[in-house]
Amino acid sequence: MNAATFSEIGKALHEHQRVAVMSHVRPDGDALGSQLALGLSLKKLGKDVRIWNEEGMLEKYSFLPSSDLVSKPPAEPEDVDLAIALDTAIQSRLGTALTAIKSAKTWINIDHHPSNPRYGDLVYIDDTSPATGQIIYELIKDQGLPFDRAMAENLYVAISTDTGSFQYPNTTARTYEIAAELVRAGVDVGRVNQLTYENYPKRRIELLRELLGTLHFECADRVASFSLSMKTAADLGVLPEDNEGLIDHVRAIRGVVVAAFFEELSDGKVRVSMRSKDDRADVCAVATKFGGGGHKLAAGARVRGSLAEVEGKVLAEISHVLDCNS
Ligand code: 5GP
Ligand code: MN
């Protein structure tokens, strides 16, 4: 529960041998890129490294250098020296990676979510950082850990995806400086951006067409949302990863302050994903009401109930936060 310095974290990385580098369920580019960058650096240090994610490597991020090092956690729990959680706002969001840790001498928690409850022994939370990948870059440089082009490319994708390609307001001057340093380290910007943003499977666009059919507005067009039923997902044969970022089409509408996406899950819950364009419309506060979390401008939750029920409840709360009825 203590705030750790980079040198304390660096010391722990050097002192221990068996390491598990993990991140959250339904991983995004920041989660997987950060895991790979730190994992690769530790491997170069001679550590015995596992890079675990509940989902294993996603098809769409399989272009990341050394992506094959990301594996699903083993069914049989393991003893490790160091368990490292990256980009994971609450420990339970590690999913089966958490249950695969039988014991760990030390837990490290590195994240940029303000709602992170600061679990673990060595905790480094920087909520001014737009991506966990940016913190990993600073850690690697500060501690003189091994660094090469493969790590740079993973960190570039981590930072690019969490900043909406260096566009969201969380992007800072330091973010651009780091991007420049990553390009100097050998990142092929054109190629990597094409693989990240112009390489979608056709089914993702077919999904977008379906989602737009469910789009509706409220609160004088300041709130827009769409939803995905399990039936539509099955009919189109889409993977869970296919909808990452589709909410940006809704956020991009002029006048829309809050965008919401509802996805029916097989466990009787609905995944809620929200984006805000205005600091005064804090979607993390909305998500927290429903047991989730995230950032002011990007947050989510998993809420028990049918699609219609959850949509109704969450949209009512958004309307409340935006003061729509006044
Ligand atoms: P996304 O909408 O892309 O799934 O998530 C946006 C942000 O909200 C991410 O920073 C993510 O960590 C957070 N988030 C999404 N779903 C949940 C959830 O179920 N619980 C918590 N605590 N945070 C979430
Ligand atoms: Mn992140």
Side-chain angles (χ1 to χ4, degrees):
M1 172 80 200
N2 43 329
T5 60
F6 280 155
S7 37
E8 286 167 325
I9 292 174
K11 189 163 167 273
L13 296 176
H14 278 100
E15 276 174 357
H16 293 99
Q17 189 55 29
R18 290 170 62 84
V19 186
V21 183
M22 302 167 285
S23 80
H24 57 84
V25 297
R26 292 294 288 257
D28 53 17
D30 189 27
L32 292 169
S34 295
Q35 279 189 274
L36 275 165
L38 184 60
L40 285 169
S41 187
L42 293 175
K43 262 184 155 337
K44 272 208 162 171
L45 260 191
K47 304 297 170 183
D48 175 8
V49 183
R50 301 138 192 76
I51 306 179
W52 288 340
N53 191 286
E54 175 166 307
E55 258 118 310
M57 179 40 77
L58 302 182
E59 177 195 304
K60 69 173 175 180
Y61 287 121
S62 56
F63 68 88
L64 289 171
S66 296
S67 64
D68 55 324
L69 292 180
V70 176
S71 66
K72 290 190 177 173
E76 197 60 40
E78 287 185 18
D79 295 305
V80 297
D81 298 326
L82 260 190
I84 307 176
L86 300 179
D87 198 43
T88 305
I90 46 171
Q91 202 175 18
S92 60
R93 276 181 50 84
L94 292 170
T96 55
L98 178 59
T99 48
I101 302 281
K102 191 164 159 201
S103 73
K105 290 182 185 137
T106 303
W107 269 91
I108 297 179
N109 170 8
I110 299 176
D111 188 21
H112 67 132
H113 293 96
S115 61
N116 191 303
R118 290 158 169 78
Y119 57 89
D121 306 302
L122 296 170
V123 179
Y124 194 98
I125 312 295
D126 178 4
D127 63 15
T128 68
S129 187
T132 297
Q134 181 163 324
I135 306 174
I136 299 300
Y137 178 82
E138 304 280 24
L139 170 68
I140 286 174
K141 286 293 154 177
D142 189 77
Q143 290 301 298
L145 298 170
F147 188 66
D148 63 17
R149 193 187 61 81
M151 296 165 214
E153 213 155 278
N154 277 294
L155 290 180
Y156 183 89
V157 172
I159 298 170
S160 172
T161 51
D162 254 27
T163 55
S165 203
F166 304 95
Q167 293 178 47
Y168 299 157
N170 58 5
T171 312
T172 64
R174 183 67 189 139
T175 314
Y176 285 104
E177 282 162 6
I178 291 173
E181 288 171 33
L182 296 175
V183 174
R184 273 187 213 107
V187 173
D188 181 342
V189 173
R191 184 183 144 272
V192 169
N193 279 303
Q194 206 167 74
L195 288 167
T196 310
Y197 300 112
E198 298 178 343
N199 196 34
Y200 298 130
K202 186 172 145 207
R203 58 174 192 267
R204 176 181 155 102
I205 306 306
E206 291 169 343
L207 169 63
L208 176 61
R209 179 166 57 193
E210 286 295 320
L211 292 177
L212 290 176
T214 73
L215 180 67
H216 65 266
F217 294 86
E218 39 222 293
C219 194
D221 292 353
R222 289 160 72 213
V223 178
S225 63
F226 54 26
S227 59
L228 175 61
S229 66
M230 281 198 291
K231 182 179 182 312
T232 301
D235 288 349
L236 291 174
V238 292
L239 303 178
E241 65 185 77
D242 289 329
N243 64 51
E244 185 190 347
L246 291 180
I247 193 172
D248 291 337
H249 291 278
V250 179
R251 186 221 313 252
I253 303 167
R254 182 170 62 218
V256 166
V257 177
V258 173
F261 170 51
F262 300 93
E263 178 190 358
E264 187 182 24
L265 303 174
S266 58
D267 60 358
K269 291 187 180 175
V270 173
R271 172 176 165 258
V272 183
S273 181
M274 290 176 287
R275 300 290 184 270
S276 166
K277 284 200 292 213
D278 185 336
D279 259 355
R280 289 165 299 178
D282 179 354
V283 288
C284 185
V286 177
T288 306
K289 278 226 156 169
F290 295 97
H295 315 271
K296 244 184 184 173
L297 302 182
R302 284 167 186 235
V303 187
R304 185 160 298 286
S306 72
L307 203 46
E309 278 163 9
V310 175
E311 272 187 83
K313 277 195 272 193
V314 173
L315 289 172
E317 185 58 28
I318 294 172
S319 293
H320 176 68
V321 166
L322 286 185
D323 223 357
C324 295
N325 302 321
S326 63

